[in-house]
Amino acid sequence: MTLSVHAIAGTAAAIAFRNNPVVALLAAFLSHFALDAIPHWHYRILSKSKDDSSPFGEKLDFGRSFLKDIFRTGIDFGLGSVVSLAISEVFYPENLWLVFLATFAGVLPDAIQVLYYRFKNFKPFYWFQWLHEKIHSKKRLDNEPVKGITQQIILSAVIIFTIAYFK
């Protein structure tokens, strides 16, 4: 799932629980796992490669390709954040600060994955990565970009419509 979709879903979760900011941010964080459980498409992470010696069979190279990934994922996250903040400004302006935090909470599990790859010996990151892998759909649409991207656009539109409709 792209970070944009995770940010938008985090926004929806936070708005649903906007009367309790702690619950709202927890819901935004957990929305990430709900989305990851659905078969979906991913864009290729240039710095990720197979590594049979790694517990999860992959590694990240923290060189030049990682910087390209940071740039690409930053644009992806930025797009989701702009959409989320625009929705909030129109429908829930009093919750703008909560939506801002919720966009981060919605993508935080993927950021923690990067920390795992950097600090593999830190047990909390290992267990978090294990949980993330366990919840993540085994079926991937990575070889079906048209289907996968269309699915994520439709999902984002449904989430946005739901936010607007239940105002």
Side-chain angles (χ1 to χ4, degrees), residues 14-130:
I15 287 172
F17 297 101
R18 64 188 174 278
N19 294 329
N20 186 333
V22 172
V23 172
L25 294 175
L26 180 61
F29 180 79
L30 294 175
S31 74
H32 185 102
F33 298 103
L35 290 177
D36 272 1
I38 300 168
H40 57 277
W41 172 84
H42 306 86
Y43 49 80
R44 188 172 165 295
I45 301 298
L46 304 173
S47 57
K48 189 183 272 189
S49 62
K50 292 207 176 290
D51 179 7
D52 293 333
S53 67
S54 176
F56 301 103
E58 297 175 323
K59 68 176 182 174
L60 279 184
D61 171 25
F62 289 92
R64 181 174 289 239
S65 58
F66 181 73
L67 293 176
K68 289 178 185 177
D69 286 335
I70 293 295
F71 179 75
R72 291 175 349 140
T73 57
I75 290 172
D76 180 11
F77 174 67
L79 176 63
S81 296
V82 166
V83 169
S84 293
L85 292 170
I87 291 166
S88 181
E89 182 62 31
V90 171
F91 296 103
Y92 301 92
E94 67 281 3
N95 298 108
L96 196 58
W97 67 271
L98 183 61
V99 167
F100 177 74
L101 294 175
T103 61
F104 285 98
V107 302
L108 185 57
D110 283 343
I112 294 172
Q113 281 191 299
V114 173
L115 291 174
Y116 160 74
Y117 284 113
R118 184 67 181 105
F119 305 104
K120 288 184 180 180
N121 293 329
F122 186 58
K123 286 295 181 193
F125 291 153
Y126 171 87
W127 289 112
F128 186 86
Q129 180 68 12
W130 176 86

